[in-house]
Amino acid sequence: MGKDVIIACDFASKQDVMNFLDLFSEEKPFVKIGMELFYAEGPAIVREIKARGHKIFLDLKLHDIPNTVKKAMKVLSGLDVDMTNLHAAGATAMMQGALEGLTRADGTRPILIAVTQLTSTDQETMERDLLIREPIDQVVMHYAKTAKNAGLDGVVCSPLEAGKVHDACGKNFVTVTPGVRFADGDVGDQKRVMTPAEANRIGSDYIVVGRPITAAADPVAAYRRCVAEFVG
Ligand code: C5P
Protein backbone atom coordinates (compact mmCIF):
# COMPACT_ATOMS: atom_id res chain seq x y z
CA MET A 1 0.00 0.00 0.00
CA GLY A 2 1.61 3.29 -1.09
CA LYS A 3 2.01 6.02 1.50
CA ASP A 4 0.18 9.22 0.63
CA VAL A 5 -1.03 12.54 1.99
CA ILE A 6 -4.82 12.99 1.78
CA ILE A 7 -6.07 16.58 1.92
CA ALA A 8 -9.28 16.96 3.97
CA CYS A 9 -11.37 19.21 1.71
CA ASP A 10 -13.66 20.48 4.46
CA PHE A 11 -15.26 23.18 2.36
CA ALA A 12 -18.95 24.14 2.42
CA SER A 13 -19.50 24.49 -1.32
CA LYS A 14 -18.37 23.32 -4.72
CA GLN A 15 -17.06 26.78 -5.55
CA ASP A 16 -14.77 26.79 -2.52
CA VAL A 17 -13.37 23.32 -3.20
CA MET A 18 -12.83 24.02 -6.90
CA ASN A 19 -11.07 27.32 -6.13
CA PHE A 20 -8.80 25.37 -3.80
CA LEU A 21 -8.07 22.56 -6.27
CA ASP A 22 -7.38 25.13 -9.01
CA LEU A 23 -4.29 26.16 -7.04
CA PHE A 24 -2.69 22.80 -7.91
CA SER A 25 -1.35 22.93 -11.44
CA GLU A 26 1.28 20.18 -11.18
CA GLU A 27 0.15 17.62 -8.57
CA LYS A 28 -3.23 15.91 -8.30
CA PRO A 29 -3.52 15.36 -4.54
CA PHE A 30 -5.58 12.56 -2.98
CA VAL A 31 -8.57 14.38 -1.42
CA LYS A 32 -11.05 13.55 1.32
CA ILE A 33 -14.66 14.59 0.78
CA GLY A 34 -16.78 14.55 3.90
CA MET A 35 -20.46 14.71 4.76
CA GLU A 36 -20.81 18.49 4.60
CA LEU A 37 -19.67 18.83 1.00
CA PHE A 38 -21.31 15.59 -0.15
CA TYR A 39 -24.69 16.45 1.35
CA ALA A 40 -24.49 20.02 0.04
CA GLU A 41 -23.47 19.16 -3.51
CA GLY A 42 -24.48 15.53 -4.03
CA PRO A 43 -22.68 12.76 -5.96
CA ALA A 44 -21.89 15.18 -8.82
CA ILE A 45 -19.11 16.71 -6.71
CA VAL A 46 -17.40 13.31 -6.54
CA ARG A 47 -17.66 12.80 -10.31
CA GLU A 48 -16.29 16.29 -11.01
CA ILE A 49 -13.30 15.99 -8.71
CA LYS A 50 -12.61 12.49 -10.02
CA ALA A 51 -12.78 13.78 -13.61
CA ARG A 52 -10.05 16.29 -12.69
CA GLY A 53 -7.75 13.36 -11.93
CA HIS A 54 -7.81 13.24 -8.12
CA LYS A 55 -8.09 10.12 -6.00
CA ILE A 56 -11.00 10.40 -3.56
CA PHE A 57 -11.54 9.22 0.00
CA LEU A 58 -15.31 9.55 0.53
CA ASP A 59 -15.71 9.92 4.29
CA LEU A 60 -19.38 9.17 4.95
CA LYS A 61 -18.97 6.67 7.85
CA LEU A 62 -21.87 4.36 6.98
CA HIS A 63 -23.69 2.54 9.81
CA ASP A 64 -26.98 0.74 9.15
CA ILE A 65 -28.33 -2.79 8.67
CA PRO A 66 -26.15 -4.99 6.41
CA ASN A 67 -28.50 -4.95 3.41
CA THR A 68 -28.82 -1.15 3.41
CA VAL A 69 -25.08 -0.63 3.73
CA LYS A 70 -24.39 -3.18 0.99
CA LYS A 71 -26.69 -1.34 -1.44
CA ALA A 72 -25.35 2.09 -0.47
CA MET A 73 -21.77 0.88 -0.94
CA LYS A 74 -22.65 -0.41 -4.40
CA VAL A 75 -23.68 3.12 -5.33
CA LEU A 76 -20.46 4.61 -3.90
CA SER A 77 -18.36 2.03 -5.75
CA GLY A 78 -20.10 3.08 -8.97
CA LEU A 79 -18.94 6.64 -8.26
CA ASP A 80 -15.41 5.27 -8.64
CA VAL A 81 -14.13 6.52 -5.28
CA ASP A 82 -10.74 5.16 -4.19
CA MET A 83 -11.40 4.83 -0.46
CA THR A 84 -14.47 4.93 1.76
CA ASN A 85 -15.43 4.03 5.31
CA LEU A 86 -17.99 2.79 7.83
CA HIS A 87 -18.40 2.41 11.60
CA ALA A 88 -17.01 -0.88 12.91
CA ALA A 89 -19.82 -0.64 15.50
CA GLY A 90 -22.13 -1.82 12.70
CA ALA A 91 -20.53 -5.24 13.32
CA THR A 92 -19.23 -8.08 11.16
CA ALA A 93 -22.28 -8.79 8.98
CA MET A 94 -22.57 -5.11 8.06
CA MET A 95 -18.86 -4.90 7.21
CA GLN A 96 -19.08 -8.02 5.04
CA GLY A 97 -22.17 -6.63 3.31
CA ALA A 98 -20.26 -3.41 2.65
CA LEU A 99 -17.40 -5.32 1.02
CA GLU A 100 -19.83 -7.23 -1.17
CA GLY A 101 -21.58 -4.05 -2.25
CA LEU A 102 -18.30 -2.30 -3.01
CA THR A 103 -16.85 -5.08 -5.17
CA ARG A 104 -17.30 -4.28 -8.85
CA ALA A 105 -18.03 -6.84 -11.58
CA ASP A 106 -14.32 -6.92 -12.50
CA GLY A 107 -13.36 -7.78 -8.90
CA THR A 108 -11.86 -4.36 -8.07
CA ARG A 109 -13.16 -2.21 -5.24
CA PRO A 110 -12.29 0.94 -3.27
CA ILE A 111 -10.18 0.58 -0.11
CA LEU A 112 -12.60 0.10 2.81
CA ILE A 113 -11.59 1.28 6.26
CA ALA A 114 -13.41 1.36 9.60
CA VAL A 115 -13.89 4.00 12.24
CA THR A 116 -13.34 2.33 15.64
CA GLN A 117 -14.40 4.77 18.35
CA LEU A 118 -14.74 8.40 17.34
CA THR A 119 -12.03 10.55 18.90
CA SER A 120 -14.84 12.70 20.31
CA THR A 121 -15.86 9.69 22.44
CA ASP A 122 -13.82 9.34 25.63
CA GLN A 123 -13.85 6.67 28.34
CA GLU A 124 -16.54 8.43 30.36
CA THR A 125 -18.87 8.88 27.37
CA MET A 126 -18.36 5.29 26.31
CA GLU A 127 -19.26 3.96 29.76
CA ARG A 128 -22.18 6.32 30.36
CA ASP A 129 -23.81 6.43 26.92
CA LEU A 130 -22.73 3.17 25.29
CA LEU A 131 -22.44 0.95 28.37
CA ILE A 132 -19.01 -0.21 27.20
CA ARG A 133 -16.85 -0.61 30.29
CA GLU A 134 -13.48 -1.86 28.95
CA PRO A 135 -10.55 0.56 28.61
CA ILE A 136 -10.97 2.58 25.42
CA ASP A 137 -7.60 1.53 23.92
CA GLN A 138 -8.67 -2.11 24.22
CA VAL A 139 -12.03 -1.29 22.65
CA VAL A 140 -10.30 0.46 19.73
CA MET A 141 -7.97 -2.51 19.21
CA HIS A 142 -10.85 -5.00 19.43
CA TYR A 143 -12.85 -3.05 16.82
CA ALA A 144 -9.76 -2.93 14.57
CA LYS A 145 -9.34 -6.72 14.81
CA THR A 146 -13.05 -7.26 14.14
CA ALA A 147 -12.74 -5.07 11.04
CA LYS A 148 -9.73 -7.05 9.88
CA ASN A 149 -11.48 -10.37 10.45
CA ALA A 150 -14.46 -9.10 8.44
CA GLY A 151 -12.06 -8.53 5.54
CA LEU A 152 -11.66 -4.75 5.71
CA ASP A 153 -8.43 -3.08 4.61
CA GLY A 154 -7.75 -0.89 7.63
CA VAL A 155 -8.91 1.69 10.13
CA VAL A 156 -8.95 5.42 10.75
CA CYS A 157 -6.96 6.05 13.92
CA SER A 158 -4.78 8.56 15.70
CA PRO A 159 -1.16 8.44 14.49
CA LEU A 160 -0.38 7.58 18.11
CA GLU A 161 -2.31 4.31 17.68
CA ALA A 162 -0.98 3.35 14.23
CA GLY A 163 1.93 1.29 15.57
CA LYS A 164 -0.30 -0.68 17.94
CA VAL A 165 -2.84 -1.33 15.18
CA HIS A 166 -0.09 -2.71 12.96
CA ASP A 167 1.17 -4.90 15.83
CA ALA A 168 -2.33 -6.30 16.39
CA CYS A 169 -3.55 -6.54 12.78
CA GLY A 170 -0.41 -6.86 10.67
CA LYS A 171 1.68 -4.38 8.75
CA ASN A 172 -0.51 -4.60 5.64
CA PHE A 173 -3.60 -3.47 7.57
CA VAL A 174 -3.90 0.17 6.52
CA THR A 175 -3.81 3.02 9.03
CA VAL A 176 -5.31 6.33 7.95
CA THR A 177 -4.46 9.01 10.47
CA PRO A 178 -5.79 12.55 10.98
CA GLY A 179 -4.43 14.85 13.71
CA VAL A 180 -1.29 15.84 11.81
CA ARG A 181 0.38 19.22 12.31
CA PHE A 182 3.66 20.81 11.25
CA ALA A 183 6.15 21.20 14.09
CA ASP A 184 5.88 25.00 13.81
CA GLY A 185 2.14 25.14 13.05
CA ASP A 186 -1.12 25.81 14.91
CA VAL A 187 -2.59 22.78 16.68
CA GLY A 188 -6.13 24.26 16.54
CA ASP A 189 -8.80 22.00 18.06
CA GLN A 190 -6.82 18.76 17.63
CA LYS A 191 -5.73 17.42 21.01
CA ARG A 192 -3.20 14.72 20.18
CA VAL A 193 -1.08 15.59 17.16
CA MET A 194 1.99 14.39 15.33
CA THR A 195 4.14 15.87 12.59
CA PRO A 196 4.13 14.19 9.16
CA ALA A 197 7.64 12.85 9.81
CA GLU A 198 6.59 11.33 13.15
CA ALA A 199 3.48 9.82 11.57
CA ASN A 200 5.73 8.23 8.96
CA ARG A 201 8.11 6.84 11.58
CA ILE A 202 5.30 5.33 13.61
CA GLY A 203 3.89 3.61 10.53
CA SER A 204 0.89 5.60 9.27
CA ASP A 205 0.04 4.58 5.72
CA TYR A 206 -2.02 7.66 4.87
CA ILE A 207 -2.18 10.96 6.74
CA VAL A 208 -5.30 13.11 6.48
CA VAL A 209 -4.36 16.78 6.64
CA GLY A 210 -6.87 19.62 6.51
CA ARG A 211 -6.24 23.09 7.83
CA PRO A 212 -2.41 22.96 7.83
CA ILE A 213 -2.81 22.85 4.04
CA THR A 214 -6.23 24.38 3.28
CA ALA A 215 -5.72 27.40 5.57
CA ALA A 216 -2.05 27.95 4.71
CA ALA A 217 -0.97 31.18 3.02
CA ASP A 218 0.46 28.98 0.24
CA PRO A 219 -1.48 25.67 0.20
CA VAL A 220 0.60 24.14 -2.60
CA ALA A 221 3.84 24.79 -0.69
CA ALA A 222 2.25 23.38 2.50
CA TYR A 223 1.12 20.26 0.61
CA ARG A 224 4.60 19.76 -0.84
CA ARG A 225 6.18 20.18 2.57
CA CYS A 226 3.76 17.63 3.98
CA VAL A 227 4.56 15.10 1.24
CA ALA A 228 8.30 15.69 1.64
CA GLU A 229 8.13 15.18 5.42
CA PHE A 230 5.80 12.17 5.24
CA VAL A 231 6.93 10.26 2.18
CA GLY A 232 10.48 11.60 2.06
O1 C5P B 1 -8.03 20.40 9.63
P1 C5P B 1 -7.55 19.08 10.21
O2 C5P B 1 -6.17 18.69 9.75
O3 C5P B 1 -7.71 19.02 11.71
O4 C5P B 1 -8.55 18.03 9.55
C1 C5P B 1 -8.56 16.68 9.93
C2 C5P B 1 -9.65 15.96 9.18
O5 C5P B 1 -9.71 14.63 9.68
C3 C5P B 1 -11.04 16.55 9.35
O6 C5P B 1 -11.76 16.29 8.13
C4 C5P B 1 -11.62 15.77 10.49
O7 C5P B 1 -13.01 15.70 10.45
C5 C5P B 1 -11.00 14.40 10.26
N1 C5P B 1 -10.91 13.56 11.45
C6 C5P B 1 -10.22 13.93 12.58
N2 C5P B 1 -10.15 13.09 13.66
C7 C5P B 1 -10.76 11.91 13.61
C8 C5P B 1 -11.46 11.51 12.49
C9 C5P B 1 -11.52 12.37 11.41
O8 C5P B 1 -9.63 15.00 12.62
N3 C5P B 1 -10.66 11.10 14.64
Side-chain angles (χ1 to χ4, degrees):
M1 206 66 67
K3 277 182 181 275
D4 211 346
V5 173
I6 302 177
I7 304 179
C9 286
D10 294 323
F11 296 105
S13 72
K14 174 178 159 181
Q15 200 50 55
D16 290 346
V17 72
M18 292 308 177
N19 289 345
F20 173 74
L21 294 177
D22 281 343
L23 299 172
F24 292 85
S25 52
E26 287 172 34
E27 309 81 346
K28 293 285 180 193
F30 202 139
V31 300
K32 178 170 90 72
I33 298 175
M35 292 181 195
E36 183 185 12
L37 191 59
F38 189 78
Y39 293 148
E41 302 288 350
I45 190 76
V46 174
R47 293 195 191 93
E48 274 190 49
I49 295 176
K50 192 76 201 177
R52 294 168 69 124
H54 297 271
K55 286 190 175 175
I56 296 179
F57 168 19
L58 191 56
D59 180 14
L60 298 182
K61 301 185 180 71
L62 276 67
H63 188 176
D64 208 317
I65 61 170
N67 186 53
T68 301
V69 168
K70 176 179 164 179
K71 288 181 178 168
M73 286 294 190
K74 192 168 166 56
V75 177
L76 300 187
S77 184
L79 283 177
D80 203 19
V81 299
D82 298 277
M83 182 186 289
T84 191
N85 61 358
L86 47 66
H87 277 281
T92 301
M94 187 201 81
M95 291 193 262
Q96 290 170 338
L99 283 171
E100 256 182 72
L102 276 183
T103 306
R104 306 180 182 108
D106 64 2
T108 64
R109 63 167 174 80
I111 295 170
L112 181 60
I113 57 173
V115 174
T116 56
Q117 285 291 340
L118 293 168
T119 44
S120 49
T121 302
D122 59 11
Q123 185 74 35
E124 190 196 333
T125 311
M126 215 177 55
E127 291 184 14
R128 187 192 57 225
D129 291 359
L130 309 179
L131 268 187
I132 301 174
R133 299 212 166 86
E134 283 73 18
I136 194 160
D137 52 336
Q138 283 179 30
V139 175
V140 166
M141 240 22 90
H142 178 69
Y143 280 33
K145 282 188 221 163
T146 308
K148 180 178 162 66
N149 290 338
L152 266 71
D153 303 300
V155 287
V156 187
C157 63
S158 148
L160 296 145
E161 293 162 350
K164 271 191 264 171
V165 169
H166 281 135
D167 289 345
C169 300
K171 70 171 173 31
N172 292 328
F173 195 63
V174 172
T175 52
V176 179
T177 63
V180 173
R181 292 292 180 266
F182 292 120
D184 53 1
D186 265 353
V187 170
D189 55 0
Q190 293 282 9
K191 294 208 167 64
R192 302 184 305 151
V193 298
M194 264 193 190
T195 65
E198 286 166 341
N200 177 38
R201 261 197 304 282
I202 210 153
S204 294
D205 297 293
Y206 295 90
I207 52 174
V208 176
V209 187
R211 288 158 293 176
I213 295 174
T214 56
D218 182 345
V220 177
Y223 171 73
R224 287 181 182 157
R225 177 180 173 192
C226 208
V227 172
E229 284 190 23
F230 182 59
V231 187

